[in-house]
Amino acid sequence: MDSIPYVFAGLVGLASLAVSLLLALRRLKTSEERIATAVSRKQAQVERIKRVARVTLQQARDLRDARRRKAMAEMGCEDLEQRLKVAGTADRRIYVLDDRRTQKDQGWLLRVVNADYGARVNANLTSTALDSWKRGRRFLVWALDENKAREKVNARFPQNKGFTVLGIESYPG
């Protein structure tokens, strides 16, 4: 009967081993669940990162396209500004000095210039109008010949106020 304490000790040892084994299995199961949760969270995070990366790449493409369109628009604006400057410098307007004419009168285009228009005639004009006087304005005059056309222009724009006739040509219209 001496073996009962050994059997009892063996059973206690076996029971503690079984409890330890159950606790270890429970910890293992908990660890596996945590690992599975972490893996699924990692996978979800990877999917979110991929989705954000796709959106970012698309936005980068859109930004490049927008910059390219902006650059093209700026080049177009610069070209248009240059063309407007050129068109502004070449004033194509023709001012009609007088509509009265006879059957024998011809049309004459005279370019009249006054570089000191602001100082001698009217200082209240805009800079654009003053520039047009500096470059010269074209006037349509109806007269029998060039001399009569010059006389009409000189009567309206006298030389003593700084007006000068630069050129005269026949008006085809």
Side-chain angles (χ1 to χ4, degrees):
M1 304 247 163
D2 272 328
S3 65
I4 289 186
Y6 291 115
V7 171
F8 183 69
L11 286 175
V12 169
L14 187 60
S16 67
L17 181 63
V19 170
S20 295
L21 189 58
L22 284 175
L23 287 175
L25 286 175
R26 190 176 298 162
R27 284 185 191 148
L28 182 62
K29 186 176 180 184
T30 305
S31 295
E32 285 175 347
E33 288 173 357
R34 286 182 183 166
I35 289 172
T37 303
V39 166
S40 67
R41 281 190 299 170
K42 176 188 168 198
Q43 189 62 32
Q45 186 70 17
V46 165
E47 290 301 319
R48 281 194 298 268
I49 289 171
K50 284 181 181 178
R51 207 171 31 248
V52 169
R54 280 192 294 271
V55 169
T56 303
L57 287 174
Q58 184 60 43
Q59 288 175 341
R61 284 187 206 109
D62 293 344
L63 182 61
R64 277 194 307 271
D65 291 343
R67 284 182 179 157
R68 188 173 27 255
R69 285 191 307 270
K70 179 187 170 214
M72 288 172 47
E74 286 175 347
M75 286 175 32
C77 286
E78 288 174 8
D79 181 48
L80 183 60
E81 287 174 359
Q82 291 297 325
R83 290 191 327 210
L84 285 174
K85 283 181 183 176
V86 168
T89 57
D91 191 7
R92 304 239 184 262
R93 286 183 279 192
I94 297 176
Y95 298 92
V96 178
L97 185 71
D98 191 2
D99 278 339
R100 289 180 288 163
R101 62 180 170 163
T102 65
Q103 292 272 339
K104 295 179 184 178
D105 286 344
Q106 293 179 341
W108 299 94
L109 282 177
L110 289 90
R111 181 171 296 277
V112 179
V113 181
N114 189 341
D116 296 328
Y117 190 86
R120 296 178 109 184
V121 181
N122 185 0
N124 296 328
L125 283 183
T126 64
S127 62
T128 308
L130 291 174
D131 287 342
S132 74
W133 276 112
K134 286 178 185 175
R135 286 191 310 270
R137 288 186 174 188
R138 297 185 316 163
F139 288 91
L140 174 62
V141 179
W142 297 100
L144 291 173
D145 58 15
E146 285 184 33
N147 291 331
K148 294 287 185 189
R150 279 185 192 272
E151 287 176 13
K152 280 187 174 184
V153 168
N154 286 331
R156 175 71 174 90
F157 302 109
Q159 289 182 352
N160 64 355
K161 288 194 176 181
F163 294 101
T164 307
V165 175
L166 281 186
I168 187 166
E169 60 186 60
S170 179
Y171 180 67

